[in-house]
Amino acid sequence: MNEEKKENEQQKNLLKAQNEIALHVVQNYKDVVQIDFDTPAYSKQTGSWSIDLKINQNPNDWLSIKFVLKKKNIKMISTRYNQDDFSLKKELDISKSLDKVVINYGGTQ
């Protein structure tokens, strides 16, 4: 596979991963209306990716997620956030979608 095709495939997979992460956030936290992703970072040592995201434009409501890209989906390895400042409330609702959520993908388009 040539480099350009490989890069395009990787960008497509990262965009899919960001959508899966965004859906996870929307379905697990109450009142999410906007998600802003930073540029994803890859670790050759672990073969994993990490990405930070800010929720509802609140600098205290950020998550740092580490994940691995799989052929058909992603596997989230860990989620970090500042427990002292994080204001979103957990609320599981798998019926929620991304329809009414503004998503800024950062370095992945």
Side-chain angles (χ1 to χ4, degrees):
M1 188 182 307
N2 68 33
E3 277 303 307
E4 186 177 331
K5 189 173 181 180
K6 188 176 179 181
E7 178 71 25
N8 287 339
E9 186 69 23
Q10 183 179 66
Q11 288 297 312
K12 190 169 111 175
N13 288 337
L14 286 171
L15 184 60
K16 182 180 175 185
Q18 286 175 304
N19 280 320
E20 286 186 39
I21 291 167
L23 185 60
H24 173 79
V25 170
V26 166
Q27 291 180 342
N28 283 276
Y29 294 97
K30 189 175 179 173
D31 300 325
V32 175
V33 296
Q34 182 168 337
I35 298 172
D36 296 292
F37 285 97
D38 281 343
T39 302
Y42 180 71
S43 169
K44 286 183 181 181
Q45 293 173 320
T46 64
S48 64
W49 290 86
S50 61
I51 193 163
D52 294 339
L53 52 132
K54 184 170 44 170
I55 303 166
N56 298 338
Q57 295 186 315
N58 182 339
N60 293 323
D61 290 338
W62 61 268
L63 297 171
S64 183
I65 297 178
K66 186 177 271 193
F67 61 96
V68 176
L69 289 174
K70 299 288 186 181
K71 294 208 187 271
K72 302 250 185 216
N73 60 3
I74 69 164
K75 178 181 178 187
M76 285 190 252
I77 299 170
S78 66
T79 302
R80 294 182 314 142
Y81 60 94
N82 185 335
Q83 294 178 351
D84 296 332
D85 297 330
F86 196 76
S87 69
L88 293 176
K89 303 296 179 214
K90 283 287 251 180
E91 179 182 83
L92 181 61
D93 184 352
I94 60 170
S95 69
K96 288 183 184 176
S97 71
L98 297 176
D99 292 341
K100 296 180 181 177
V101 178
V102 174
I103 302 174
N104 297 311
Y105 292 96
T108 307
Q109 303 285 325

